[in-house]
Amino acid sequence: MRPLGIPTVLDRFIQQAVMQVLQADWDPTFSETSFGFRPGRSAHQAVERAQAYIASGHSIVVDIDLEKFFDRVNHDILMGLIAKRVTDKHILKLIRSFLTAGVLEGGLVGPTEEGTPQGGPLSPLLSNLMLDVLDKELEGRGHRFVRYADDCNVYVRSQRAGERVMAGIEKFLAKRLKLKVNKAKSAVAKPSVRKFLGFSFTGGPQPRRRIAPQALARFKAMVRELTRRTRGRSLAQTAKELSIYLIGWRGYFGFCQTPSVLRTLDEWLRRRLRAIAWKQWKHGRARFAELRRRGVGRELAAQTAGSPHGPWRLGNSPALTFALPTRFLSSIGLASVAAPMSA
């Protein structure tokens, strides 16, 4: 687990004030292809930039993962970079004190001799300052790259070129910034098999943004957690609570260009809620009564209520699809991750 250096209310106020002053001065000097923790920039813009590079023929990505970057930032190197931009000794001393304030763990405060404490308003700006050195090096070498915080992708035209770039970046980071590349999580590969900020890309001359498989797996795991039977919620309560997560998720991943995936997820969500309802109806007689009450014919209702199949399979059955249609699930608050739900 990564320790969080949550500052006190007063420290947070001071850090925020310092950050606002320094960011106004520093941000215009940062790389145009750096998108993380910067005003007016977003993860979606970073993904779009990556997509443009791929479409221009740079079909190999050098996916660089820095090993425990936020925990490994060298304080002396960072303070040296700050000192080139800040002459006030009081500010320099203040920033150094923030870096070395320590973290509370097990009831004891341990010193921090390296890294930028997670949780402080100033940390993202200091991290960008540190990695701006990498940005400028990549720009000097003429590379096409995108960086979002410590997630950096360089786009090249061939596997051999990518391997040369990876080796060169590893040497530069170790020598100049004393940072390591996590070889287990880094790779030179086609963008279609790597992920960037939760997205990957289709192949071909006109790549499209798609949701990375890992992000889809996390989505389904979260939905399963939010719809656990042991939560003791009614179907309407479950739909409304689930929708809080769905709306936020759609706000980010709705940026994909594969709407069929979103429609498939919607179908999966509706099937899951129908399966939950089937479990809540508990036994054959109650299930038969619910199906009849919701307009299902006697013969189909009896056949479904007496079925030996489990809730998941029956969640996609004609009887439950008719009894709990899309319109009904929408009316009890179930949000859509694709297009607005129709009848």
Side-chain angles (χ1 to χ4, degrees):
M1 293 179 65
R2 178 177 292 165
L4 296 179
I6 306 297
T8 64
V9 174
L10 179 59
D11 282 351
R12 176 176 288 274
F13 176 80
I14 295 172
Q15 281 196 39
Q16 183 69 29
V18 172
M19 185 276 292
Q20 289 179 347
V21 172
L22 296 182
Q23 187 170 59
D25 185 43
W26 296 359
D27 193 78
T29 70
F30 289 159
S31 171
E32 196 262 334
T33 52
S34 162
F35 292 89
F37 308 125
R38 297 183 61 187
R41 290 171 175 262
S42 69
H44 286 173
Q45 291 173 337
V47 172
E48 276 188 317
R49 179 63 62 90
Q51 184 179 11
Y53 287 147
I54 299 167
S56 70
H58 296 79
S59 56
I60 297 294
V61 60
V62 183
D63 188 353
I64 303 164
D65 184 275
L66 297 177
E67 189 172 285
K68 297 182 179 179
F69 168 71
F70 289 99
D71 300 331
R72 297 282 174 83
V73 169
N74 184 285
H75 287 177
D76 291 334
I77 293 175
L78 178 56
M79 289 305 301
L81 294 171
I82 297 171
K84 290 179 181 179
R85 296 170 178 254
V86 176
T87 57
D88 191 313
K89 293 183 178 180
H90 296 291
I91 297 295
L92 293 173
K93 186 177 180 180
L94 184 64
I95 293 174
R96 171 73 81 165
S97 69
F98 288 145
L99 292 174
T100 58
V103 294
L104 183 65
E105 188 173 2
L108 299 173
V109 177
T112 48
E113 298 177 354
E114 61 180 1
T116 57
Q118 295 282 291
L122 193 57
S123 292
L125 179 62
L126 298 182
S127 300
N128 267 336
L129 177 65
M130 186 79 161
L131 289 177
D132 187 60
V133 177
L134 172 62
D135 295 343
K136 294 300 192 288
E137 178 67 16
L138 293 174
E139 287 177 350
R141 297 183 185 186
H143 291 311
R144 290 164 175 79
F145 70 96
V146 184
R147 184 176 65 79
Y148 190 95
D150 60 335
D151 198 346
C152 183
N153 280 4
V154 184
Y155 294 88
V156 296
R157 292 185 180 274
S158 70
Q159 183 76 18
R160 182 176 295 181
E163 290 168 358
R164 285 199 304 268
V165 170
M166 178 68 84
I169 291 173
E170 281 187 56
K171 291 179 182 177
F172 173 79
L173 288 170
K175 183 177 180 180
R176 179 67 179 85
L177 298 178
K178 298 190 185 303
L179 295 171
K180 290 183 179 180
V181 171
N182 186 330
K183 294 187 177 182
K185 294 184 178 180
S186 301
V188 178
K190 290 187 176 296
S192 58
V193 300
R194 303 297 295 177
K195 66 180 178 67
F196 182 54
L197 302 177
F199 294 91
S200 63
F201 303 93
T202 61
Q206 294 183 321
R208 290 178 296 151
R209 300 183 296 272
R210 65 183 180 189
I211 304 168
Q214 301 93 321
L216 288 173
R218 284 195 297 270
F219 171 81
K220 289 192 172 183
M222 177 58 76
V223 170
R224 290 188 182 102
E225 175 63 24
L226 292 172
T227 56
R228 276 188 300 112
R229 192 178 177 189
T230 54
R231 289 171 63 88
R233 302 286 197 273
S234 69
L235 194 65
Q237 287 174 320
T238 298
K240 289 176 182 176
E241 292 177 7
L242 175 61
S243 292
I244 295 172
Y245 171 70
L246 297 180
I247 291 168
W249 189 89
R250 168 64 196 267
Y252 184 77
F253 286 103
F255 185 62
C256 75
Q257 294 173 311
T258 50
S260 62
V261 173
L262 298 179
R263 289 194 294 270
T264 298
L265 288 178
D266 262 351
E267 292 169 3
W268 180 81
L269 286 164
R270 293 193 291 267
R271 183 174 180 178
R272 184 160 183 85
L273 260 67
R274 289 173 184 137
I276 290 170
W278 193 247
K279 289 180 182 178
Q280 291 178 348
W281 296 343
K282 292 185 178 179
H283 53 79
R285 189 168 294 179
R287 289 168 173 172
F288 175 79
E290 283 288 348
L291 291 175
R292 291 290 292 141
R293 187 171 69 84
R294 295 170 185 272
V296 178
R298 178 177 292 276
E299 184 177 345
L300 181 58
Q303 181 183 357
T304 306
S307 172
H309 297 306
W312 176 247
R313 181 161 176 177
L314 291 174
N316 204 36
S317 67
L320 261 71
T321 303
F322 184 88
L324 301 172
T326 299
R327 187 186 323 188
F328 169 77
L329 295 176
S330 178
S331 72
I332 63 171
L334 180 64
S336 169
V337 295
M341 298 178 97
S342 58

